[in-house]
């Protein structure tokens, strides 16, 4: 009898641990674009003109104005695309954003500076922060929200980051 109970305990434990994974599946309408409204601290996942999901976001430590240079702590503005998925991000999960574009690289070079890079949509900080805008220029959501976004968005999806 104890063997049967032990078997069920093991099966239950394995079942519960499978529910706690960070990778979800999504079977809804395709996300055709993402809109980020920096001034409103909102991000929208869209299928054509229909909002599928919306999220409150955190931005770079200097949220006003577009990113121009490495280390300016600003979030880019403009049209980009999701370049890749990073399942091993130090911020839970992340989606790469194709910043900088060639014009941004050229402008930064003309100023004798680097344009920066490694801009992502990612999960919450690995430790608590006391500020709403805390990233080095990325777009941050909670870890649970990032799991949803990661499941819905594919590389190549257009992202419009608006002031």
């Amino acid at each position: 009898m104890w063997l049967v109970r032990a078997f069920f305990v093991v099966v239950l434990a394995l079942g519960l641990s499978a529910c706690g994974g960070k990778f979800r599946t999504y079977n809804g309408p395709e996300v055709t674009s993402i809109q980020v409204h920096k001034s409103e601290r909102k991000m929208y996942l869209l299928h054509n003109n229909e909002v599928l999901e919306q999220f409150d976001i955190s931005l770079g430590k200097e949220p006003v104005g577009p990113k121009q240079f490495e280390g300016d702590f600003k979030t880019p503005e403009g049209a980009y695309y999701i370049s890749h998925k990073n399942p091993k991000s130090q911020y839970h999960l992340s989606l790469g954003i194709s910043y900088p574009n060639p014009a941004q690289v050229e402008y930064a070079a003309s100023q004798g500076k680097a344009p920066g890079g490694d801009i992502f949509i990612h999960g919450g900080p690995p430790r608590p922060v006391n500020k709403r805008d805390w990233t080095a220029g990325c777009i941050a959501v909670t870890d649970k929200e990032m799991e949803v976004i990661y499941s819905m968005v594919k590389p190549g999806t257009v992202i419009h980051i608006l002031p």
Side-chain angles (χ1 to χ4, degrees):
M1 186 65 159
W2 70 270
L3 190 57
V4 173
R5 285 186 186 154
F7 174 77
F8 283 115
V9 168
V10 169
V11 169
L12 180 62
L14 289 174
L16 289 175
S17 68
C19 294
K22 64 183 179 178
F23 299 103
R24 300 178 183 210
T25 56
Y26 173 72
N27 296 315
E30 176 186 11
V31 175
T32 56
S33 67
I34 302 167
Q35 283 189 10
V36 173
H37 296 252
K38 287 172 57 174
S39 62
E40 298 169 19
R41 304 298 189 281
K42 294 282 187 187
M43 180 170 65
Y44 303 91
L45 304 185
L46 299 134
H47 174 75
N48 299 323
N49 292 324
E50 176 190 354
V51 174
L52 299 173
E53 294 282 347
Q54 73 175 33
F55 303 93
D56 293 328
I57 59 172
S58 295
L59 300 169
K61 294 177 191 175
E62 299 293 334
V64 178
K67 181 165 197 61
Q68 294 180 306
F69 309 116
E70 183 174 36
D72 65 9
F73 295 101
K74 294 185 179 214
T75 301
E77 295 175 1
Y80 304 95
Y81 62 90
I82 300 301
S83 58
H84 65 286
K85 289 185 165 191
N86 180 5
K88 296 183 179 181
S89 172
Q90 67 180 0
Y91 297 100
H92 193 59
L93 295 168
S94 62
L95 298 173
I97 297 175
S98 64
Y99 174 88
N101 64 34
Q104 291 161 324
V105 171
E106 185 178 322
Y107 175 74
S110 76
Q111 303 301 304
K113 298 183 178 183
D118 286 334
I119 302 297
F120 290 86
I121 301 170
H122 62 65
R127 60 187 181 284
V129 293
N130 295 327
K131 294 174 68 176
R132 175 170 193 170
D133 294 317
W134 57 270
T135 76
C138 295
I139 299 161
V141 295
T142 69
D143 288 350
K144 291 296 180 194
E145 290 169 333
M146 192 61 223
E147 291 172 8
V148 171
I149 296 163
Y150 194 89
S151 74
M152 294 177 73
V153 176
K154 295 178 182 173
T157 302
V158 173
I159 178 169
H160 299 278
I161 305 174
L162 309 169

